[in-house]
Amino acid sequence: MEGAGPSRPHRARVEWEVDVALADTLTAVGTVALARCGGRPFGTHLFSVWPGASFAATAFPVRCAPGDNLALHVAVAQAPPGSALVVDVSGESEYGYVDEILAVAARARGLGGIVLDGCVRDVAAIARCGLPVFGTGVAVREARPEAGGSVGDQVTMTAVGPVPLAVRRGDWIAADDDGVVCLPRGQVSAIITETMDSITREQEIIDAVCAGESTLDLLGLDPSRVSGWEGGPDGRTRRAGARPRSLGSLREAPGRGGAGDQGRSRLSPRPAVGDSYRD
């Protein structure tokens, strides 16, 4: 989708009861790491309306009648500030369910963002508004606010894989340029703990790669399974089933990705996380 918006993640106003620390942590680690460690990804058909949009917030489910967005207007008025609307459009995606008026109203109420299994319109205006909105595309056709729907009840969204994704009120939603992920209630703390460990391991691998190590060695991969493999740059071959290299030894070895090495990754440091979160 075209359009340009603010590069800073949208954060709901802090004067309301919002777990800002948790939202900031989920936004910082990103959807890729969360999906790898237990977060449930939404379908790959969802895109951010403007590049760089991101948010993390608790879900407020909405179900719209086909081609109708009355339930969205009700949800914007009723959803707790700091939450995000997760919208099931009942399979009729080719309407512009979210427009400039709804986006501005949601931003004014301090909502964290909107994710919908349908299209939006007024893309440039939504980008200027700065509300993170994720949908399936753009549709000029207007949704009518007449037919009803529901708010606050569980909705079913299209997900990666054959099983639809059930989203309940209070589940955590994280969204960025890589996609949208749901963290079910009661599993948030465990997912965050595993995610932080995964990020640490990934950073160690990146540091080792920057120091000249091969991903084949670091990950214990068997290149002989690939036709045309002729060995590494030095002509060496790798035996099948070899174990991954120890990253701990790489951290301690001089000149191999230590803190002072020029080859060290310049990715952002691991974000600080509290001891626990209340799911």
Side-chain angles (χ1 to χ4, degrees), residues 207 210-211 250-266:
D207 290 344
C210 290
L250 288 170
R251 287 197 301 271
E252 298 173 0
R256 306 301 286 177
D261 271 9
Q262 293 181 352
R264 183 173 179 84
S265 169
R266 296 184 179 181

